[in-house]
Amino acid sequence: MDEIQTLIQCHCANENPNVRRGFILYLYCGPHFCNIKSLTYKNVDYTNRLLKFEQNKTKGHSANSGVIIPLNDGLLSLIGEAPEDLSSSIFNLPSYESCSKSIKRWVKHAAINKHISWHRARHSFAINILNNGANTQTITSLLGHSRLKHTEKRYSCSR
């Protein structure tokens, strides 16, 4: 969590604000990159403070492809207010490769000496909520895993 705070407090010259906002949301919600990239304002339920989407990776293959993530004030501010066109992208991200290069520069500028990637941020999210008392079923639901055993295999010995 300290490194996450260090990263959030660090700004780089020429940083892409959409990559920054998307990655911070990613750290606190854990979806796959393809889901962050495809999020639109239609996915945000502002009234109930929820982010709802189907995992692109498991859509059509699993009954658990739907993900619902509660949003606090900080996450809602990262998303921003809904525009008139709800089908517009929340983050408008470039390619995965370009986003990864931006993250690498940002991490280096923050003097964090670890390999941090989009996928590792997903794992960090899961481990952080596990260490803060979430059960494996909750993590399975938030990550959109198709089966509890996938989550247990990856995270049950992380405590």
Side-chain angles (χ1 to χ4, degrees):
M1 289 305 291
D2 291 340
E3 290 170 335
I4 290 172
Q5 289 308 309
T6 298
L7 195 57
I8 290 170
Q9 292 170 5
C10 178
H11 287 273
C12 301
N14 301 321
E15 70 183 14
N16 181 324
N18 287 317
V19 172
R20 178 186 179 77
R21 290 175 35 247
F23 193 74
I24 293 170
L25 185 81
Y26 198 92
L27 285 165
Y28 287 104
C29 298
H32 288 97
F33 175 80
C34 60
N35 295 115
I36 287 284
K37 187 171 174 77
S38 65
L39 285 177
T40 68
Y41 290 94
K42 287 180 185 177
N43 296 110
V44 183
D45 177 347
Y46 286 92
T47 303
N48 295 306
R49 302 168 63 94
L50 298 170
L51 181 63
K52 301 176 184 182
F53 60 92
E54 281 202 61
Q55 290 271 8
N56 293 339
K57 187 175 177 181
T58 57
K59 190 187 314 186
H61 304 291
S62 169
N64 296 328
S65 65
V67 177
I68 299 172
I69 298 172
L71 298 171
N72 61 25
D73 290 340
L75 296 177
L76 281 168
S77 72
L78 282 172
I79 292 168
E81 292 184 25
E84 277 190 42
D85 179 8
L86 296 180
S87 65
S88 53
S89 177
I90 293 174
F91 298 110
N92 196 22
L93 296 172
S95 70
Y96 179 82
E97 292 76 19
S98 180
C99 288
S100 294
K101 287 177 184 176
S102 294
I103 299 302
K104 194 174 193 175
R105 280 192 305 273
W106 184 19
V107 168
K108 184 176 181 178
H109 191 74
I112 298 172
N113 295 315
K114 284 185 178 177
H115 174 71
I116 297 177
S117 66
W118 290 89
H119 198 70
R120 287 199 179 181
R122 179 174 163 82
H123 288 291
S124 293
F125 162 73
I127 290 167
N128 285 335
I129 64 170
L130 180 67
N131 289 338
N132 282 303
N135 63 39
T136 310
Q137 182 61 49
T138 300
I139 296 168
T140 298
S141 176
L142 291 172
L143 292 179
H145 285 166
S146 58
R147 296 190 191 119
L148 188 61
K149 73 177 185 175
H150 295 304
T151 310
E152 289 173 337
K153 184 173 143 183
R154 289 184 176 101
Y155 302 108
S156 64
C157 39
S158 298
R159 272 194 183 250

